[in-house]
Amino acid sequence: MSPLAAAELEPVQLTVSPDTVRSIGGITTLEREKYITIHATPGEPDITEEQRIYIEEELEAHYGRDGGVQSGQLQVTPADPANPRMPDVAFLKEAGASAIAERAAMPERYRPESMREVVLCTHPEWMMGIESNDYAEFGPKSAEAAAEFCANFLKYFYTDEDRPKYYEVFNEPFVKSKKIGTNVEEMSHQHVVTARRIKELTPDVLVGGYSAAWAEVEARNFEHWNNWQKAFMDIAGDDMDFFATHLYDGVNVKGTHAERTGSNIVAIMDLIDAYSYIKWGVAKPQMISEYGRIIKPQTDKEWPNRLKREVPVLGSFNGMLMMYLDHPDRMLKTVPYILGVGSWTYGIEGGMRSTEEAPSDFLLFRRSGDNYVTTGLELFYRFWKGIDGERRLTTVSDPDIRSHYFADGLRHTLVLHNMDTEERAVALDGFDGLDIAKVTLRRLTAENEAPLLSEQTLFGLPDEISIGVGQAAALLIDLRSPYEAERVQTETRVYASEYLKAIEAGQPIEFVFEGLPAGEGDAVLRLAIGRVPGLSLQPKVEVNGQTLEVPVDWSGGDQAGRPTFFGLIEVPVPGDLLDDAATTFTLTFPDAGGKVASAVLRVDRVTTK
């Protein structure tokens, strides 16, 4: 929430429209396999059968990402006897056949539908093809050698039925480039070589990158964007099926402390989309293969004080997820950084380090003597347990209150999250047409500095509920009879042909949107703006001679303490001001400095079913 909007905290007005399906780029349902995930796989050797069943059946979580299986196999793969600089493909065929046979003996654990959803990646320290690499017998000492291993691993260690659908060439490579002895250009080139070889051997696999650890794209007036993400897209983008990013509240690897939950997340995503559209005429899909919160101080890590750390971590998981849920047509997968057992974190140095007394912040299961017990991170999954169905429309008066509504037969669910810096009351409206039998209120809050999931049956639907800072609530509404939707609101994103425009005082900036979808409905102009603190975030916005009202509020915090504000501000646009053929928006700022990174027009069209 901006400081200008903090004077009077009136109740937030939230209206549901159960009679209107919300279609986002054609997606109308909650795809749980895409969103309710864990950074783990069914094949992790330290996850017991009991723990696997708990993850899948009790928590209803889907698998997300594997950064280890390739690395282990790489290290034991010999060189080709005829070419010592290449991997021994015959060895990989034999080892792969053995791996497939082992999985076939455990069909309940290695279900093809679970294996397919895994994102495979590996680490540049071991896979970067440079002369100094001696991780495996053959190196890899070239991009071609690395690509040959990766492609043959995918081909021979899986069947067509259980091969993972997603492949990230590296995990967080660019922040490690100097230490490894390489650079952005060489790492990007290896993405190209690897993607092309994978497509030759396993064309069903989607390949992406660069799995950015440090997404401070606005740094140095967007030079970070130019030198890293844009450079990667220019070199490797033609061969990428998706672009992957890691987004954390706090500081990940390097950079300024960043509360990304809210406007910053979507500004980063819109900027990548906008440039993708300009280069290829399509916004290629994105993947958030890690997200959450990193708490740098090592204080309060010992149990039970660790519970204090779990409260903000859970708040980041839920807050970010609520943003990602608005982009199902853009997202292949989002993975909260919640590890399973994470035995590899014990005995290592740094922020991932675990001991029995002070486990890592990211573990679902922690050691306790000879046993493992769940941590408070399981509450993320318990909060979302059983929530599913068709998306229905909600409107809300304050962008700090994020909402999603799902209709699943006789169960309707309204999910809310508070991104404000204050507790907020939310007034509810729009439920009159429902024949309600039972209402349950589920909350993910905190008590005595520890996370708390509570659930209570209510005497009817409340007129208003309160939500604390960084906390979430879900109204589970059971109906006596189904409530069918009568209309569909389809959201379509339209991209301008230009982006990253410098701001000069009093000088108009134009964005033109062509080929708008025809029909009835309004729109939202999404402006990703990067400026140093103190400069205006309220340009004069005109369309077809009409001046639009620019909000003084946005989702999430005001980004105080960061050298540059970078966030998304949404400007409502009446539908009668749009020209389907071409609509031009003009922005004029009163002061100079910074950039309008991207402008995206979300067009909402309403039709009857």
Side-chain angles (χ1 to χ4, degrees), residues 559-589:
Q559 303 184 25
R562 298 183 64 192
T564 304
F565 171 92
F566 184 51
L568 190 84
I569 296 176
E570 297 182 300
V571 182
V573 184
D576 58 5
L577 297 181
L578 300 174
D579 184 328
D580 292 350
T583 299
T584 300
F585 289 84
T586 302
L587 284 58
T588 308
F589 287 82

Side-chain angles (χ1 to χ4, degrees), residues 371-488:
N371 301 308
Y372 282 88
V373 296
T374 56
T375 69
L377 298 192
E378 73 165 340
L379 300 185
F380 171 77
Y381 302 105
R382 291 194 173 278
F383 178 81
W384 286 95
K385 184 173 181 176
I387 298 175
D388 208 345
E390 185 177 62
R391 293 168 179 265
R392 301 287 173 91
L393 187 64
T394 67
T395 55
V396 63
S397 64
D398 190 321
D400 288 310
I401 300 299
R402 311 305 298 185
S403 63
H404 291 280
Y405 190 101
F406 305 101
D408 186 16
L410 295 177
R411 165 65 63 84
H412 284 209
T413 305
L414 173 65
V415 185
L416 304 169
H417 182 87
N418 180 12
M419 293 183 183
D420 207 336
T421 55
E422 303 285 346
E423 180 176 330
R424 300 303 302 271
V426 181
L428 306 175
D429 191 24
F431 295 94
D432 294 345
L434 303 182
D435 186 7
I436 299 175
K438 178 183 176 182
V439 178
T440 305
L441 175 61
R442 184 183 294 173
R443 290 183 179 274
L444 183 52
T445 60
E447 187 172 297
N448 298 324
E449 298 185 296
L452 175 67
L453 183 71
S454 63
E455 197 166 290
Q456 65 179 123
T457 301
L458 305 181
F459 295 100
L461 194 72
D463 296 327
E464 184 177 288
I465 61 174
S466 62
I467 310 177
V469 178
Q471 297 180 359
L475 281 170
L476 312 175
I477 304 165
D478 293 315
L479 307 181
R480 294 185 179 89
S481 58
Y483 191 88
E484 300 298 330
E486 301 174 354
R487 288 176 293 277
V488 178

Side-chain angles (χ1 to χ4, degrees), residues 498-512 527 531 539-543 584-592 594-596:
E498 297 179 285
Y499 89 127
L500 212 63
K501 294 197 171 189
I503 298 171
E504 298 181 16
Q507 297 299 308
I509 299 172
E510 285 192 351
F511 289 100
V512 180
L527 299 174
R531 311 200 77 187
K540 180 181 180 182
V541 178
E542 296 177 288
V543 55
T584 300
F585 289 84
T586 302
L587 284 58
T588 308
F589 287 82
D591 44 17
K595 289 181 168 63
V596 180

Side-chain angles (χ1 to χ4, degrees), residues 7-30:
E8 293 286 337
L9 295 179
E10 296 291 333
V12 175
Q13 301 298 313
L14 185 143
T15 302
V16 301
S17 299
D19 62 348
T20 305
V21 174
R22 185 186 181 198
S23 172
I24 308 174
I27 307 297
T28 60
T29 59
L30 171 60

Side-chain angles (χ1 to χ4, degrees), residues 494-562:
V494 182
Y495 300 92
S497 58
E498 297 179 285
Y499 89 127
L500 212 63
K501 294 197 171 189
I503 298 171
E504 298 181 16
Q507 297 299 308
I509 299 172
E510 285 192 351
F511 289 100
V512 180
F513 299 91
E514 298 181 337
L516 275 59
E520 299 295 322
D522 297 323
V524 175
L525 180 63
R526 300 162 58 90
L527 299 174
I529 300 174
R531 311 200 77 187
V532 299
L535 296 181
S536 173
L537 296 173
Q538 276 194 289
K540 180 181 180 182
V541 178
E542 296 177 288
V543 55
N544 293 337
Q546 298 291 317
T547 300
L548 302 178
E549 183 177 350
V550 179
V552 296
D553 199 1
W554 51 82
S555 59
D558 61 6
Q559 303 184 25
R562 298 183 64 192

Side-chain angles (χ1 to χ4, degrees), residues 220-491:
R220 303 182 306 281
N221 200 22
F222 291 92
E223 279 307 297
H224 180 283
W225 159 264
N226 289 324
N227 295 335
W228 285 29
Q229 183 71 41
K230 179 180 181 297
F232 172 77
M233 294 171 76
D234 288 343
I235 296 169
D238 284 351
D239 294 279
M240 294 296 100
D241 296 307
F242 63 88
F243 299 113
T245 310
H246 296 172
L247 296 172
Y248 285 91
D249 289 325
V251 179
N252 186 19
V253 183
K254 61 187 299 187
T256 310
H257 184 88
E259 293 301 306
R260 299 200 180 281
T261 298
S263 67
N264 183 254
I265 286 174
V266 280
I268 294 168
M269 291 165 52
D270 271 21
L271 176 55
I272 295 171
D273 277 352
Y275 189 60
S276 176
Y277 177 82
I278 289 169
K279 281 191 71 70
W280 298 289
V282 61
K284 291 192 176 187
Q286 294 194 45
M287 178 182 291
I288 310 299
S289 52
E290 289 184 23
Y291 72 89
R293 174 181 288 273
I294 292 177
I295 303 176
K296 282 293 187 182
Q298 299 302 303
T299 58
D300 293 328
K301 288 200 74 171
E302 291 194 5
W303 202 265
N305 288 340
R306 181 185 184 273
L307 293 168
K308 298 177 184 178
R309 302 168 71 90
E310 290 179 347
V311 172
V313 170
L314 285 166
S316 292
F317 285 146
N318 254 332
M320 290 190 181
L321 176 58
M322 293 294 281
M323 308 298 288
Y324 302 145
L325 284 168
D326 284 323
H327 298 75
D329 58 329
R330 308 289 316 108
M331 286 291 172
L332 290 177
K333 205 170 189 71
T334 68
V335 185
Y337 197 64
I338 301 176
L339 305 172
V341 171
S343 58
W344 58 270
T345 66
Y346 291 84
I348 68 170
E349 298 296 327
M352 297 293 294
R353 183 177 183 178
S354 292
T355 65
E356 182 172 330
E357 296 77 18
S360 162
D361 289 327
F362 309 108
L363 300 181
L364 178 61
F365 300 101
R366 65 177 177 90
R367 284 184 188 171
S368 179
D370 294 331
N371 301 308
Y372 282 88
V373 296
T374 56
T375 69
L377 298 192
E378 73 165 340
L379 300 185
F380 171 77
Y381 302 105
R382 291 194 173 278
F383 178 81
W384 286 95
K385 184 173 181 176
I387 298 175
D388 208 345
E390 185 177 62
R391 293 168 179 265
R392 301 287 173 91
L393 187 64
T394 67
T395 55
V396 63
S397 64
D398 190 321
D400 288 310
I401 300 299
R402 311 305 298 185
S403 63
H404 291 280
Y405 190 101
F406 305 101
D408 186 16
L410 295 177
R411 165 65 63 84
H412 284 209
T413 305
L414 173 65
V415 185
L416 304 169
H417 182 87
N418 180 12
M419 293 183 183
D420 207 336
T421 55
E422 303 285 346
E423 180 176 330
R424 300 303 302 271
V426 181
L428 306 175
D429 191 24
F431 295 94
D432 294 345
L434 303 182
D435 186 7
I436 299 175
K438 178 183 176 182
V439 178
T440 305
L441 175 61
R442 184 183 294 173
R443 290 183 179 274
L444 183 52
T445 60
E447 187 172 297
N448 298 324
E449 298 185 296
L452 175 67
L453 183 71
S454 63
E455 197 166 290
Q456 65 179 123
T457 301
L458 305 181
F459 295 100
L461 194 72
D463 296 327
E464 184 177 288
I465 61 174
S466 62
I467 310 177
V469 178
Q471 297 180 359
L475 281 170
L476 312 175
I477 304 165
D478 293 315
L479 307 181
R480 294 185 179 89
S481 58
Y483 191 88
E484 300 298 330
E486 301 174 354
R487 288 176 293 277
V488 178
Q489 176 175 294
T490 301
E491 302 175 10

